[in-house]
Amino acid sequence: MLSVAGKKLDTDKVRIAKRIAMELPEGSVVNLGVGIPTLIQNYLKPESKVYLQSENGLLGMGPTPPKEEIDMDLISASKHPISLGIGASIFSSSDSFVMIRGGHIDVAVLGALQVSGSGEIANWAVPGQDILGVGGAMDLVASAKKIIIAITHVTKDDLPKIVKSLTYPASGIRKAEMIVTEKAVFKITNGQLYLEEISESSSIDEIRNLTDAAFIISENLKKMPV
């Protein structure tokens, strides 16, 4: 286990966050959703010039501060302690949603309960369970220029999260372009799921067994970076 701000981190989730950090283009404005995406800011290199936006009203979010420097008045939309990068700006949540709905987010990195083989996303509700609200999930799904999903490959009950079709309520008609798990990287093109990378500790047979949706193995299948 690794730790940030005194908290132990799941190494699988860290692997996912590190891989997605490599995917974010220089100069892009990126929104990080709840869950695994909130780890990504800790693995961005300063020279990457990626600008992290938080829906509670912040552009220029920096990494998680050391435990002794945490100020809980400075948090992300996920209520995690953050720092401010050089040139960061703070504004109202309403202005933040103007940015999102206006199409100014280059990449949204979102967690999900399920993702279909065609990239349809369910990340806001479980049937039969009470929820506090949708938050910004549907706005980001509708408006971000690119959507990357960050999830563990299966649930705590070992059920696949990448499914043939959603059984949870969809978050919108927009679909994800990429899925990153601790075991594999998938890309979605024209509604078809392609296996692009596989972890050193996994096999294609294991990925097939743990993935409900059908997928095509890329001709350029690579190993996930360690």
Side-chain angles (χ1 to χ4, degrees), residues 21-83:
M22 297 170 59
E23 195 69 22
L24 303 177
E26 181 178 330
S28 58
V29 176
V30 179
N31 181 285
L32 303 180
V34 176
I36 296 171
T38 59
L39 302 175
I40 291 172
Q41 69 259 32
N42 298 317
Y43 304 106
L44 287 171
K45 296 179 180 179
E47 61 269 22
S48 68
K49 296 181 182 177
V50 171
Y51 302 98
L52 301 179
Q53 191 258 14
S54 182
E55 64 194 58
N56 58 328
L58 173 64
L59 181 64
M61 182 166 55
T64 305
K67 186 176 181 180
E68 63 274 11
E69 296 179 15
I70 288 176
D71 178 356
M72 291 309 292
D73 285 331
L74 190 59
I75 59 174
S76 68
S78 304
K79 298 181 174 59
H80 292 170
I82 57 170
S83 60

Side-chain angles (χ1 to χ4, degrees), residues 63-192:
T64 305
K67 186 176 181 180
E68 63 274 11
E69 296 179 15
I70 288 176
D71 178 356
M72 291 309 292
D73 285 331
L74 190 59
I75 59 174
S76 68
S78 304
K79 298 181 174 59
H80 292 170
I82 57 170
S83 60
L84 295 179
I86 297 173
S89 56
I90 297 173
F91 37 86
S92 70
S93 180
S94 59
D95 285 335
S96 184
F97 274 86
V98 168
M99 286 185 66
I100 294 170
R101 294 169 183 167
H104 303 292
I105 304 300
D106 296 307
V107 184
V109 185
L110 304 175
L113 299 165
Q114 292 178 333
V115 190
S116 76
S118 64
E120 194 175 13
I121 303 160
N123 73 344
W124 70 277
V126 177
Q129 293 188 17
D130 293 333
I131 61 169
L132 295 175
V134 177
M138 290 184 176
D139 298 275
L140 288 163
V141 167
S143 304
K145 295 174 185 175
K146 180 178 180 179
I147 301 171
I148 299 175
I149 298 298
I151 52 172
T152 54
H153 211 96
V154 297
T155 69
K156 293 179 180 179
D157 298 320
D158 293 326
L159 298 174
K161 291 185 179 180
I162 305 172
V163 296
K164 293 176 184 176
S165 57
L166 301 181
T167 59
Y168 294 162
S171 302
I173 61 173
R174 273 284 310 285
K175 297 180 178 181
E177 285 82 9
M178 186 175 189
I179 305 169
V180 180
T181 79
E182 78 280 13
K183 296 181 180 296
V185 175
F186 295 92
K187 291 187 178 179
I188 301 162
T189 305
N190 297 325
Q192 179 62 59

